[in-house]
């Protein structure tokens, strides 16, 4: 089969002649129709970050990335129940940049695609599920203001999840340096801030107002929650999003920061705002199994439009071009299409 093989930073190529994976009794073999490039894939692509957990290693030792994919079941293991050959499914596992990939049968990694949802839409299920968990962990109260830091596919998914809540949300502010991504966020109806336009905290203060902290005295914006989808990229020239978030959120044990974006390396942080303002920092990784089903139903019902977030498509043979495109500020979600219907 053909697969995208990661060798070293900036060295990811499509190779032929790789063995089709064998499946275990509790696995299915998926013929992959669409696989999205994740931000964590880019961390690995640039700096080898998280390499050990982002690739499926074939029997011949080839490292195959890709974990956001959809396709058709072509083989079913002896112990698998509830799934059959020919069914359209979302898979979550390593090795999705390939014509075929094995996936264990469990509710965290395998779910059926509803009628009316395309393979490319379905390949955005995992980031939508991640967003649903982040919003749940934020424990929003009515009319609270939320800042979403980084509005690639994950941040825009968070905005979609926020807008789908059955409660009154205050102001939602999107922060990014990409004009394309901010334009998409604005189309969703939220406020937008570009760090290239000036001090981020001041721009957010103009939108949300202030909520002074009495001791030690400070005047942060009136931001209840920051959801950090950006993490830390070595090429960042300004303070990390986490540091800015610590300066930005409210005090008096109200401010919360949900951290999701990955880190390419260690970085220095002024942690005193956590103590001074009694900030809660909440980590979020992945999703609850039911979030996959909820995400797909949101697509099926039209509650969210995922097609609008897919900006580029490439065949598997051009996976190197696909990764270059995903690193550009014009990209939101880049899809690699290993096989055709």
């Amino acid at each position: 089969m053909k697969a995208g093989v990661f060798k070293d930073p900036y060295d990811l190529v499509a190779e032929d002649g790789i063995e089709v994976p064998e499946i275990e009794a509790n696995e299915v073999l998926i013929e992959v129709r669409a696989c999205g490039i994740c931000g964590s894939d880019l961390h690995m692509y640039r700096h080898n970050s998280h390499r050990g957990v982002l690739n499926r290693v074939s029997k011949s030792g080839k490292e195959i990335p890709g974990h956001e994919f959809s396709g058709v079941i072509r083989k079913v293991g002896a112990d698998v129940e509830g799934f059959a050959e020919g069914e359209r499914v979302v898979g979550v596992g390593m090795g999705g940049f390939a014509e075929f990939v094995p996936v264990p049968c469990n509710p965290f990694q395998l779910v059926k695609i509803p009628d009316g949802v395309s393979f490319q839409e379905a390949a955005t299920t995992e980031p939508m599920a991640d967003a649903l968990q982040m919003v749940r962990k934020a424990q929003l109260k009515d009319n609270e203001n939320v800042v979403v830091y980084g509005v690639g596919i994950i941040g825009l998914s968070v905005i979609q999840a926020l807008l789908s809540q059955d409660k009154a949300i205050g102001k939602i502010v999107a922060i990014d340096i990409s004009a394309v991504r901010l334009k998409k966020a604005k189309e969703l109806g939220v406020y937008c801030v570009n760090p290239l336009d000036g001090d981020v905290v001041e721009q957010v203060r103009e939108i949300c107002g202030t909520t002074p902290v009495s001791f030690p005295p400070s005047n942060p914006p009136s931001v209840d929650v920051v959801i950090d989808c950006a993490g830390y990229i070595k090429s960042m020239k300004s303070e990390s999003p986490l540091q800015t978030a610590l300066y930005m959120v409210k005090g008096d044990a109200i401010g919360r920061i949900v951290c999701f974006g990955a880190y390419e390396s260690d970085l220095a942080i002024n942690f005193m705002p956590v103590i001074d303002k009694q900030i809660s920092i909440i980590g979020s990784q992945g999703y609850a199994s039911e979030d996959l089903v909820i995400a797909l139903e949101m697509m099926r019902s039209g509650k969210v439009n995922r097609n609008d977030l897919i900006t580029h498509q490439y065949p598997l043979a051009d996976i190197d071009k696909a990764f270059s495109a995903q690193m550009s500020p014009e990209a939101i979600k880049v899809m690699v299409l290993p096989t055709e219907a």
Side-chain angles (χ1 to χ4, degrees):
M1 70 172 184
K2 181 178 288 185
V5 177
F6 180 72
K7 298 180 178 181
D8 285 300
Y10 296 96
D11 189 1
L12 173 61
V13 296
E15 292 189 6
D16 284 306
I18 298 172
E19 68 278 5
V20 175
E22 298 177 359
I23 59 171
E24 303 291 337
N26 68 329
E27 293 180 329
V28 300
L29 184 69
I30 296 177
E31 183 181 52
V32 182
R33 294 292 170 78
C35 185
I37 299 176
C38 176
S40 58
D41 293 325
L42 293 184
H43 288 302
M44 179 184 71
Y45 184 70
R46 287 187 292 251
H47 300 293
N48 259 343
S49 303
H50 319 295
R51 180 173 185 169
V53 297
L54 287 175
N55 297 318
R56 186 184 75 82
V57 181
S58 72
K59 280 192 174 181
S60 56
K62 306 292 187 179
E63 295 184 46
I64 306 171
H67 56 271
E68 302 173 357
F69 53 87
S70 64
V72 179
I73 295 176
R74 292 306 183 201
K75 191 179 291 187
V76 178
D79 294 342
V80 171
E81 296 181 354
F83 291 89
E85 291 182 25
E87 289 185 319
R88 302 187 324 133
V89 291
V90 167
V92 183
M94 305 309 161
F97 293 125
E99 291 177 315
F100 296 95
V101 62
V103 177
C105 180
N106 64 64
F108 288 95
Q109 293 183 272
L110 192 66
V111 62
K112 296 177 185 180
I113 301 173
D115 291 342
V117 177
S118 71
F119 285 116
Q120 292 200 42
E121 287 176 287
T124 72
T125 300
E126 192 259 1
M128 189 71 231
D130 292 336
L132 291 169
Q133 171 162 286
M134 281 182 261
V135 172
R136 185 169 60 250
K137 286 194 169 190
Q139 297 184 328
L140 290 169
K141 303 175 183 65
D142 284 341
N143 299 311
E144 287 193 316
N145 295 330
V146 184
V147 168
V148 181
Y149 219 125
V151 286
I153 184 68
I154 295 291
L156 290 167
S157 298
V158 168
I159 292 171
Q160 289 183 328
L162 288 166
L163 295 173
S164 71
Q165 297 296 295
D166 293 326
K167 63 175 63 182
I169 305 293
K171 293 178 179 178
I172 302 173
V173 183
I175 300 176
D176 206 293
I177 61 170
S178 165
V180 170
R181 296 172 185 177
L182 289 175
K183 180 175 181 291
K184 187 61 62 178
K186 190 173 182 179
E187 289 173 4
L188 291 173
V190 305
Y191 296 89
C192 293
V193 165
N194 190 328
L196 300 178
D197 294 335
D199 184 84
V200 170
V201 175
E202 288 299 326
Q203 290 186 72
V204 173
R205 183 180 284 114
E206 289 181 11
I207 295 167
C208 297
T210 61
T211 301
V213 177
S214 57
F215 184 83
S218 64
N219 201 35
S222 187
V223 172
D224 300 274
V225 175
V226 173
I227 300 180
D228 178 12
C229 303
Y232 175 65
I233 299 170
K234 287 182 178 180
S235 60
M236 286 178 172
K237 294 180 173 60
S238 57
E239 289 182 320
S240 69
L242 177 57
Q243 185 68 78
T244 304
L246 292 176
Y247 296 143
M248 190 183 300
V249 295
K250 287 180 179 178
D252 299 323
I254 294 173
R256 290 100 70 198
I257 302 171
V258 179
C259 294
F260 178 87
Y263 285 63
E264 288 185 348
S265 69
D266 297 342
L267 74 158
I269 287 281
N270 173 13
F271 214 65
M272 279 308 297
V274 177
I275 298 166
D276 291 341
K277 295 194 283 185
Q278 302 182 73
I279 297 166
S280 296
I281 300 177
I282 305 147
S284 186
Q285 182 185 59
Y287 49 85
S289 60
E290 60 267 25
D291 291 329
L292 293 176
V293 177
I294 294 169
L296 282 163
E297 174 56 24
M298 292 170 75
M299 297 178 213
R300 186 205 64 78
S301 67
K303 199 168 188 178
V304 294
N305 183 342
R306 306 295 282 170
N307 281 319
D308 270 3
L309 308 185
I310 300 169
T311 53
H312 300 72
Q313 306 172 39
Y314 289 88
L316 181 57
D318 293 334
I319 191 168
D320 55 339
K321 296 178 182 177
F323 268 70
S324 293
Q326 187 66 77
M327 289 190 296
S328 74
E330 289 77 30
I332 297 176
K333 174 57 77 175
V334 176
M335 282 290 163
V336 175
L337 312 178
T339 62
E340 297 181 3

